[in-house]
Amino acid sequence: MPSCASYALECNEHWCKLILEGRKSMEVRSYPFPEPLAGQRVLLLATNGQAGRPALGDGISAGSTDAKAVGWVIFDGIQRFESASEFEGAYGEHCVPSDSPFAWAPRGPALYGWRIREYERAREPCPLPRMTRLLRSVYEINP
């Protein structure tokens, strides 16, 4: 599976599961969608880290067991949330409850919803390829 993607996204295992079950059609981040990912397959890296903190380092060695490659997504569009009501109105897409540390907050960072156009679950988690952090939780897969 890693050969089908040039980029990867670190994501909590809970959110990965909802995405790959088709129950979550928007991923919420506190930074805008990186343009290189537009229309690209992005490998989902399931982690069990602390909420809001990266579980992975800047570089990931091939075969690392720090995360699981559980599937891929293609993102298609972005929504910037400007208010709690706007965020709560999109709950059916992002599945983030209003009392979550990932929910919209009046004095918090801007929130962006990355719309998921396609997704596919891996038949079984596959070994991680070698990767380098590109931006926050986004990695570039190294050949």
Side-chain angles (χ1 to χ4, degrees):
M1 177 191 317
S3 63
C4 73
S6 298
Y7 300 97
L9 180 68
E10 179 181 352
C11 190
N12 183 278
E13 191 167 26
H14 168 74
W15 302 122
C16 287
K17 182 178 182 211
L18 292 178
I19 290 168
L20 296 171
E21 289 174 348
R23 295 170 39 203
K24 180 175 167 69
S25 59
M26 178 184 286
E27 177 60 11
V28 175
R29 297 287 160 155
S30 61
Y31 52 97
F33 181 77
E35 283 303 315
L37 275 60
Q40 301 288 320
R41 284 185 179 185
V42 177
L43 192 64
L44 279 179
L45 305 177
T47 62
N48 286 313
Q50 182 181 0
R53 303 222 184 263
L56 302 173
D58 289 340
I60 300 171
S61 301
S64 170
T65 58
D66 293 339
K68 294 182 281 190
V70 294
W72 58 262
V73 295
I74 296 176
F75 293 104
D76 184 24
I78 186 171
Q79 177 177 351
R80 181 185 167 121
F81 294 104
E82 302 288 341
S83 69
S85 62
E86 191 176 50
F87 184 81
E88 289 167 9
Y91 175 80
E93 295 175 80
H94 59 64
C95 303
V96 178
S98 58
D99 62 349
S100 165
F102 301 111
W104 190 86
R107 288 184 222 104
L111 288 182
Y112 301 87
W114 301 6
R115 295 192 186 283
I116 298 167
R117 181 178 78 202
E118 293 178 46
Y119 62 90
E120 185 174 314
R121 177 188 301 275
R123 288 193 179 122
E124 58 185 59
C126 57
L128 296 186
R130 187 169 63 91
M131 295 179 267
T132 306
R133 186 184 308 275
L134 182 65
L135 169 73
R136 311 276 297 262
S137 296
V138 178
Y139 289 83
E140 186 169 21
I141 296 174
N142 306 126

